[in-house]
Amino acid sequence: MTERQKDRPWLMRTYAGHSTAEASNELYRRNLAKGQTGLSVAFDLPTQTGYDPDHILARGEVGRVGVPVSHLGDMRRLFQDIPLDQMNTSMTINATAMWLLALYEVVAEEQGLDKEGIAKLSGTTQNDIVKEYLSRGTHVFPPGPSLRLTTDMITYTVAHLPKWNPINICSYHLQEAGATPVQEIAYAMSTAIAVLDAVRDSGQVPPERFGEVVARISFFVNAGVRFVEEMCKMRAFGRIWDKITRERYGIENDKQRRFRYGVQVNSLGLTEAQPENNVQRIVLEMLAVTLSKDARARAVQLPAWNEALGLPRPWDQQWSLRIQQVLAHESDLLEYEDIFAGSHVIEAKVDALVADCLAEIERIQEMGGAMAAVESGYLKSQLVSAHAERRARIEAGEEKIVGVNCYEGTEPNPLTADLDTAIMTVDPANEARVVQALHDWRDNRDEGRAQESLSVLKKTAAGDGNLFAATLECARAGVTTGEWAWALRDVFGEFRAPTGVSSAPLAVAAEEGSPLATVREKVAKTAAELGSGKLRLLVGKPGLDGHSNGAEQIAVRARDAGFEVIYQGIRLTPEQIVAAAVAEDVHCVGLSILSGSHAELVPDVLARLRRTGVDTTPGPGGPPIPVIVGGIIPSADATALREAGVAAVFTPKDFGITEIIGRIVDEIRKANRLDPLEVPA
C-alpha cells in the first residue's frame, strides 16, 4: 500500500464514578495516567433524578451507580487537579443536565478561566429526555418543560460554549430496551427533529446561525454483537442525518451536517453465565463502530467483562481500555480508507435500513412528532413488544447466546472463583458520610443568596426566559441538586411515563403442551385452590433504578400466563409498594432492582409487609405474600436476601421468563401451604 499518515484514534473513555467526588477524582486521574484520552462521568441516580442524598427516594442509591454531585463543592472536588481547559468531558446526565453543566462551568471559572477560556471548554452533556421516558427512566419533568430545558441549554452553549455538545441524542438505551436497528435510528432521528424544531421555533438563535446548532448535535449509540448489521446501522444513521439536515433545515455546509457520534457498546447484553465470553462480545461490538472509516465513532467507551455480576473494579475498566488501545495502536486499522466502500452487500443492507427508517420517521411525524408519540405511549409499547419478541426467540433457542442457551457446559472459571472479590463493592457507610457532608454544606453557605437564586429560578421558569443564567446563579450561590430540581418541579410538575405493558401483544406461543400453556395450567389450578378468580402479582421497582426492561418483561409474561398484574412503573418507595400490595390483595410481590440498592430497600419492604400483618415466609402468620427479587445481585447478597425472608432471587443467568413465572407460582403455593403440583414449570 502507499504510505499514508495514520488516522488519529477516536477519544478513549471509561464510564466511571462511584462513592464520592473524592474517590471518583482519584479514579479519573489514575485512568488518565493509563492513557485514557477523555473523561466520561457516571452520576449516581439521585443526581440524575434531581434528589439530594437525604431524600427518602435516595436511600440505598447514593454513590452506587455513579458519583453523587449535590452542589458546587462536590463538582469542585470531582475535577480537582484536572485542568478543564485541557479535558474533553462527557457527562451522562439528562433531566438535570443544565444544572450539572452550570456547575462544571463555575468550576472552570474557579480554575481561573476567563470568558475566552470558558468558550474553549469541550465535551458533551447527554441531555436527551425522550429516551428517559422510553427506556432509562431518569426523567423528572413533563415533555414540554423538558424540551424547554434542552432548548435553553442548546441556545446558551451555541452563544457561550461553542465547542460543547449540548445534547447527545441517545439511541443506546433504546437498543437495550429492545429496539431493532430500524427503531433505534428512527426514534433517535425523531428526537433530533423534535429538538431542532424546538430550538428553531424558540427564536433564540438567528436563522443564519442555525447551522451552528446543527453542528453541535451529537449522538450516543449502542453497538450489539451483530457487528455487520451494527456497522451498516451507523452508515444508515449518517446518510439519514445528512438528508434531514439538508432537506428539513437547509444546512448547506457539509461539515455542519456531519454525523457525529460516540458509542458505549452493549452492557445489558453481557451475561452472568460464563462472563469471560463478554470479552469477545465487547471486542466484536467495538469493531462495529471502528472498522468503517466513513462511519467511525468519535469517542468509544467499553463496559467491563463483569458488569452482569456487579460494579467493575478499576482493573476491569483498565482491561476494557487496553482493548481499545490494542486496536488503535497495534493493528493497521487506522492506515486505510474505508474498507467497506463499494461492497454491494453493505450497500444493499444500508439501503434497506434507510428506506425502513424513513418510513417509520414519517409515521412518527404524522402522529405529531416524538413528544406526541411518547405521550400517546406508541414508542414505549413498540419497544416493549420488540423486546418481548427477542426474549421469546432466545428462550426458544432461535437466537443463540453462548453459555446461556447453548454450550452451557464450562470449566471452573478462575476469574470468578472468589465472587466477592470479582467485583467492586461500595461501602454501606458511604451514604451516611455523603448525607452529613450535604448538611454541612447547607449549614455553611449564604442562605439568603441561595434562597434568592431559587426564587429567581422559579420566576424565570414561570415565564419564558432562558433558564441557564438563573441556573448559573443557583450554582454559584450554593444551591443543591435537589433544591434546583424541586424549584422547577414546583413550576413544571412531574411526569410518570407510560409503561407500555398493557398494550404489548402476546409474544410467546401458548399451544397445548408448550411451556407457557403448562404454566397457565399451574396458575389456573392455584387460583382455584385459593378460591381466587385470578392470581395477582405486584411488580415493583423501589428506589431510583429506571432500568425497567426486566420488570416489564416479567409483567407481560405473567399477564400472558393468566396473572392479574399490578405494575405502576418506576420510582416507588417501599411504603408505596407495600400499600399497593395490601390494597390489591396480591398473592406475590416481585421487586426489580439493578442499581445495587437491594440490600437497603428489599429488607425495608419485607419489614413493612410484616408490620401490616402479612406473613412473607411459609408457616403460621398473617396472609402469606412471598417476596421475590430480580436484578444484578452478587451471590453473597442473594444469600443474605434469602436469609432475610426473600422467597427467591433471580439474576441475569435466569433468562427463561416463562420458567421464572412458573417458579413464582411454586412460591405462592409454598407460602399458602399447598401441595406441590406435579406439573413441571
Side-chain angles (χ1 to χ4, degrees):
M1 60 170 264
T2 305
E3 281 295 320
R4 63 181 294 272
Q5 188 175 358
K6 284 183 72 168
D7 292 329
R8 190 172 64 181
W10 51 90
L11 272 172
M12 297 183 193
R13 292 185 169 127
T14 302
Y15 183 55
H18 68 91
S19 302
T20 63
E22 292 86 350
S24 299
N25 172 262
E26 182 184 343
L27 178 62
Y28 294 165
R29 288 189 285 115
R30 283 208 312 269
N31 286 348
L32 291 169
K34 291 173 183 173
Q36 193 173 294
T37 53
L39 290 178
S40 181
V41 182
F43 296 100
D44 73 353
L45 289 174
T47 305
Q48 291 185 51
T49 50
Y51 295 103
D52 282 334
D54 58 353
H55 190 276
I56 181 66
L57 275 170
R59 197 159 49 98
E61 308 280 16
V62 176
R64 288 278 177 188
V65 300
V67 57
V69 174
S70 305
H71 46 70
L72 180 60
D74 286 342
M75 189 66 98
R76 190 185 291 144
R77 285 187 288 274
L78 186 62
F79 291 103
Q80 189 171 330
D81 300 321
I82 299 175
L84 297 189
D85 57 341
Q86 299 171 32
M87 191 50 51
N88 189 298
T89 303
S90 171
M91 294 193 279
T92 303
I93 196 78
N94 296 283
T96 54
M98 179 183 285
W99 173 243
L100 272 298
L101 181 58
L103 292 175
Y104 189 85
E105 181 176 335
V106 175
V107 168
E109 291 171 358
E110 292 184 345
Q111 288 188 358
L113 297 187
D114 59 12
K115 189 176 180 181
E116 288 183 7
I118 296 291
K120 292 176 182 174
L121 290 177
S122 65
T124 303
T125 30
Q126 195 167 93
N127 201 22
D128 174 3
I129 207 65
V130 171
K131 62 93 179 173
E132 298 302 325
Y133 299 135
L134 298 179
S135 54
R136 183 60 189 87
T138 67
H139 52 275
V140 177
F141 314 111
S146 294
L147 192 56
R148 175 184 170 187
L149 281 165
T150 300
T151 299
D152 285 358
M153 192 166 148
I154 290 172
T155 55
Y156 176 84
T157 55
V158 166
H160 302 283
L161 303 172
K163 293 183 179 295
W164 194 268
N165 301 322
I167 187 170
N168 212 339
I169 291 169
C170 185
S171 71
Y172 175 86
H173 298 91
L174 302 181
Q175 185 186 109
E176 295 207 330
T180 64
V182 169
Q183 290 172 328
E184 189 178 340
I185 296 171
Y187 297 175
M189 286 295 166
S190 297
T191 298
I193 290 169
V195 168
L196 287 174
D197 282 1
V199 173
R200 179 193 61 196
D201 298 346
S202 75
Q204 295 187 66
V205 179
E208 65 273 13
R209 294 193 66 186
F210 198 70
E212 297 172 43
V213 175
V214 172
R216 300 321 303 174
I217 302 292
S218 63
F219 291 78
F220 186 66
V221 306
N222 204 331
V225 76
R226 293 171 55 84
F227 76 97
V228 175
E229 182 175 66
E230 293 292 306
M231 190 268 293
C232 291
K233 179 185 78 180
M234 299 323 305
R235 295 171 84 91
F237 247 131
R239 194 179 297 180
I240 293 171
W241 182 242
D242 184 80
K243 177 182 175 68
I244 288 172
T245 53
R246 184 166 23 88
E247 295 181 4
R248 188 179 181 94
Y249 301 107
I251 307 301
E252 296 179 2
N253 184 330
D254 59 352
K255 287 186 178 179
Q256 293 179 331
R257 293 200 312 271
R258 186 180 299 151
F259 182 72
R260 302 156 64 251
Y261 79 98
V263 65
Q264 154 94 17
V265 309
N266 197 297
S267 289
L268 284 186
L270 302 180
T271 64
E272 180 184 4
Q274 299 181 25
E276 65 276 11
N277 294 336
N278 293 330
V279 177
Q280 51 265 37
R281 292 184 179 108
I282 290 166
V283 171
L284 286 170
E285 291 165 352
M286 175 182 63
L287 292 178
V289 294
T290 54
L291 277 180
S292 171
K293 181 181 177 180
D294 292 349
R296 184 171 294 149
R298 294 167 66 96
V300 176
Q301 58 194 45
L302 304 180
W305 68 279
N306 55 349
E307 290 200 14
L309 305 175
L311 194 63
R313 301 157 299 187
W315 184 85
D316 307 312
Q317 294 185 323
Q318 174 184 296
W319 191 358
S320 290
L321 175 62
R322 295 292 185 250
I323 292 172
Q324 294 201 58
Q325 291 169 329
V326 168
L327 179 65
H329 302 300
E330 293 188 27
S331 85
D332 59 351
L333 175 67
L334 298 178
E335 296 172 11
Y336 293 90
E337 295 300 325
D338 194 283
I339 60 176
F340 297 100
S343 165
H344 63 88
V345 173
I346 298 299
E347 283 305 309
K349 179 67 174 175
V350 173
D351 287 346
L353 282 171
V354 168
D356 290 345
C357 290
L358 290 175
E360 181 65 9
I361 291 167
E362 182 58 32
R363 186 176 297 114
I364 292 167
Q365 290 308 302
E366 288 171 359
M367 295 177 186
M371 290 303 184
V374 165
E375 292 181 291
S376 71
Y378 169 77
L379 295 182
K380 182 65 174 178
S381 65
Q382 292 294 105
L383 289 176
V384 172
S385 300
H387 198 191
E389 289 166 9
R390 178 173 180 266
R391 292 293 311 215
R393 291 194 302 273
I394 293 170
E395 290 174 50
E398 297 166 16
E399 189 169 317
K400 298 195 183 308
I401 301 178
V402 173
V404 174
N405 64 357
C406 62
Y407 308 112
E408 296 164 63
T410 180
E411 295 294 328
N413 184 346
L415 291 172
T416 57
D418 183 357
L419 272 175
D420 293 335
T421 61
I423 56 172
M424 191 172 83
T425 55
V426 174
D427 181 0
N430 178 69
E431 186 167 312
R433 292 193 291 267
V434 172
V435 169
Q436 184 57 53
L438 169 70
H439 294 166
D440 293 343
W441 173 268
R442 288 201 195 113
D443 289 345
N444 292 310
R445 69 184 178 185
D446 180 340
E447 191 62 26
R449 183 181 179 187
Q451 293 305 322
E452 176 59 25
S453 68
L454 286 168
S455 176
V456 171
L457 177 69
K458 290 173 75 167
K459 286 176 185 172
T460 308
D464 57 6
N466 189 299
L467 287 159
F468 207 96
T471 296
L472 272 173
E473 174 53 23
C474 285
R476 296 186 183 110
V479 163
T480 67
T481 298
E483 290 169 338
W484 178 86
W486 279 108
L488 295 182
R489 283 182 176 99
D490 286 348
V491 179
F492 296 150
E494 290 189 85
F495 185 70
R496 292 195 70 78
T499 67
V501 167
S502 60
S503 56
L506 180 71
V508 177
E511 293 94 351
E512 187 174 348
S514 68
L516 184 59
T518 303
V519 173
R520 276 184 174 176
E521 186 182 344
K522 288 179 69 168
V523 170
K525 283 185 176 180
T526 304
E529 288 181 54
L530 291 175
S532 172
K534 274 192 169 186
L535 292 185
R536 290 178 294 282
L537 172 67
L538 173 70
V539 177
K541 285 197 65 65
L544 297 176
D545 169 36
H547 279 300
S548 57
N549 308 332
E552 289 155 3
Q553 294 307 311
I554 291 290
V556 169
R557 193 69 56 85
R559 177 204 67 185
D560 294 345
F563 273 88
E564 179 183 336
V565 177
I566 296 93
Y567 175 56
Q568 299 169 324
I570 61 171
R571 220 179 297 174
L572 299 170
T573 64
E575 184 178 17
Q576 289 170 321
I577 288 171
V578 169
V582 173
E584 299 286 350
D585 192 22
V586 300
H587 296 96
C588 181
V589 172
L591 303 176
S592 169
I593 305 177
L594 283 80
S595 64
S597 60
H598 49 265
E600 182 89 24
L601 299 181
V602 174
D604 190 10
V605 171
L606 288 167
R608 288 176 183 275
L609 277 171
R610 288 166 185 154
R611 286 202 293 272
T612 64
V614 165
D615 180 18
T616 58
T617 54
I625 304 180
V627 174
I628 62 166
V629 179
I632 297 176
I633 299 172
S635 59
D637 289 3
T639 300
L641 291 177
R642 284 189 287 265
E643 289 172 352
V646 168
V649 177
F650 299 99
T651 64
K653 71 177 183 298
D654 302 298
F655 74 95
I657 299 181
T658 300
E659 182 182 344
I660 290 173
I661 303 304
R663 287 190 55 192
I664 291 173
V665 182
D666 293 340
E667 295 301 336
I668 292 172
R669 294 187 67 83
K670 189 189 303 180
N672 286 275
R673 296 180 288 286
L674 300 177
D675 292 335
L677 283 175
E678 297 303 319
V679 182

